[in-house]
Amino acid sequence: MAHRLAAWRRERVPLEPIEEAVRHKTVPVHRHSYAYYLGGMTLFLFGIQIGTGALLLLYYRPSSSEAYESVQFIMTRVPFGWLIRSIHAWSANLMVAAAVAHLFSVLFLHAYRRPREMTWVSGILLLALTLAFGFTGYLLPWNELAYFATRVGTDIMTAVPVAGDFLVRFIRGGPDVTGATLTRLFGMHVAILPMIATVLLGLHIWLVQAHGMSVPPALEDTAAKAGRPVPALPFMPHFVMREAFGWTLALALLAGLSAFYPWELGVKADPFAPAPAGIRPEWYFLWMFQALKYFPPHVLGIEGEVVALAAIGLLAAAGFTVPFWATSPRSRAVARWGGVAALVMMAVLTLLAYRGGAQS
């Protein structure tokens, strides 16, 4: 019976080419091999987001009059609802951290080199989508902190030249943050962004499989001079088992954080109330928020916010196009040290923002 079922499956769903590719796939082994697990960790946390998000959708109601109460119902009346929501919130933050770590590991190991330019581009777009998931999901509980942080975050968009006012009205669904904003961000969070992310993620994974894991140039040169291949680990089952162990640790971390530090709901948003002190965006946007404070009101007759956003835009453009200009050892060194400088800058600005918030 089992043989007949296997034959039926082989005839209709031929998986042999995939099985053959997996059987012969290997992963390079060197002192930086830990970087190969960051992409899989990000994917695992994204899967947690999908699963917990689908469960939350069973009870969530996306309107300004019912959103807060529906989340409150999930946390107080639905069995283990508080745990599912906490896992969803914590895994979102850990996914951003894993995606950022994955990006910088690829940059520092020069894994964007030819022919992997499009792998890098698709990865950058996936990171942007990850941040967009965080931004669109932040307002959904309709609590005080999320409401005013969304208002502050969208206000910054007005500084974008030419398209600023349009972007704000497009995101908000009007001139101010209202129930229309909540509905619009909900649609983006559960439909538009997942659709785009699915396509990009499929492309990214296919490119990774097509080109294989990158090896640092120094290790590649050393192996070539020695006339031997770079040491490799079989993908199945060795690498998969190690990755599964990492996923198990991540799941244990999520369970611990959710159990001991459950995500709070806070107070329901009141659009007519004054903004409370210390309002700030989520930690992954905090460095940009802090950077705006250090720019003077005007620079050479141009508004300081416009200059700040232009500088951030140039930084993002330089990172997006790294594979196309970092093509020599010298330019790759510039990209590496530029990445180090950017990482240090973001870390310092984030710490200063937290320190300033604590002192206020």
Side-chain angles (χ1 to χ4, degrees):
M1 184 65 180
H3 178 72
R4 292 176 62 187
L5 285 175
W8 185 90
R9 193 273 304 164
R10 281 196 299 270
E11 183 180 359
R12 291 157 181 81
V13 188
L15 299 177
E16 284 71 21
I18 299 176
E19 294 173 355
E20 189 68 17
V22 170
R23 189 177 299 114
H24 292 89
K25 181 178 174 61
T26 59
V27 178
V29 176
H30 49 84
R31 62 175 180 168
H32 300 298
S33 293
Y34 63 86
Y36 297 138
Y37 299 93
L38 294 173
M41 183 61 69
T42 307
L43 180 63
F44 171 73
L45 293 170
F46 181 63
I48 295 292
Q49 285 285 284
I50 293 173
T52 54
L55 293 175
L56 293 174
L57 276 176
L58 297 176
Y59 296 95
Y60 180 76
R61 294 188 290 272
S63 70
S64 58
S65 60
E66 297 180 300
Y68 182 88
E69 286 75 12
S70 65
V71 177
Q72 193 174 52
F73 179 82
I74 290 171
M75 296 184 66
T76 58
R77 302 290 297 276
V78 177
F80 297 104
W82 63 272
L83 181 62
I84 297 300
R85 180 177 179 255
S86 292
I87 289 177
H88 189 75
W90 278 113
S91 62
N93 284 270
L94 292 180
M95 184 175 73
V96 173
V100 172
H102 181 45
L103 168 74
F104 280 100
S105 70
V106 171
L107 178 65
F108 295 152
L109 296 179
H110 310 300
Y112 51 80
R113 307 187 319 278
R114 179 182 177 184
R116 298 178 176 85
E117 295 94 338
M118 295 311 299
T119 309
W120 170 268
V121 169
S122 61
I124 290 286
L125 293 176
L126 282 171
L127 176 60
L129 280 177
T130 300
L131 298 177
F133 270 116
F135 180 79
T136 55
Y138 196 51
L139 182 65
L140 300 189
W142 198 250
N143 56 30
E144 184 181 64
L145 180 62
Y147 175 84
F148 286 104
T150 302
R151 177 184 283 181
V152 170
T154 50
D155 277 339
I156 295 174
M157 295 181 187
T158 58
V160 177
V162 183
D165 291 335
F166 169 77
L167 286 175
V168 172
R169 295 183 69 89
F170 176 76
I171 295 296
R172 290 179 173 179
D176 203 355
V177 177
T178 62
T181 312
L182 174 66
T183 305
R184 183 162 294 204
L185 293 183
F186 173 77
M188 293 180 183
H189 191 73
V190 304
I192 297 174
L193 293 179
M195 179 179 62
I196 300 172
T198 301
V199 175
L200 271 177
L201 187 60
L203 172 64
H204 188 72
I205 292 175
W206 178 75
L207 288 171
V208 171
Q209 299 307 312
H211 297 304
M213 300 292 193
S214 176
V215 178
L219 180 62
E220 210 170 43
D221 294 342
T222 302
K225 291 177 181 177
R228 54 178 174 76
V230 176
L233 181 77
F235 180 79
M236 183 68 74
H238 299 75
F239 182 82
V240 171
M241 292 298 292
R242 295 184 183 190
E243 195 156 48
F245 178 72
W247 293 356
T248 304
L249 293 180
L251 195 59
L253 177 62
L254 278 175
L257 289 171
S258 302
F260 293 104
Y261 303 98
W263 209 262
E264 296 182 358
L265 179 57
V267 181
K268 184 176 181 178
D270 181 3
F272 301 102
I279 288 294
R280 61 193 181 200
E282 282 287 78
W283 63 269
Y284 37 86
F285 293 121
L286 203 51
W287 68 272
M288 290 184 281
F289 180 74
Q290 186 69 13
L292 294 175
K293 297 181 179 180
Y294 294 111
F295 279 81
H298 292 86
V299 179
L300 299 177
I302 305 174
E303 290 188 13
E305 284 190 352
V306 174
V307 176
L309 290 177
I312 293 172
L314 288 174
L315 180 65
F320 186 79
T321 59
V322 159
F324 306 103
W325 58 264
T327 55
S328 65
R330 179 172 295 181
S331 57
R332 286 199 294 267
V334 171
R336 182 178 66 248
W337 289 109
V340 171
L343 188 60
V344 171
M345 178 196 69
M346 289 188 289
V348 169
L349 288 175
T350 301
L351 291 174
L352 288 174
Y354 276 111
R355 183 181 178 186
Q359 289 177 347
S360 62

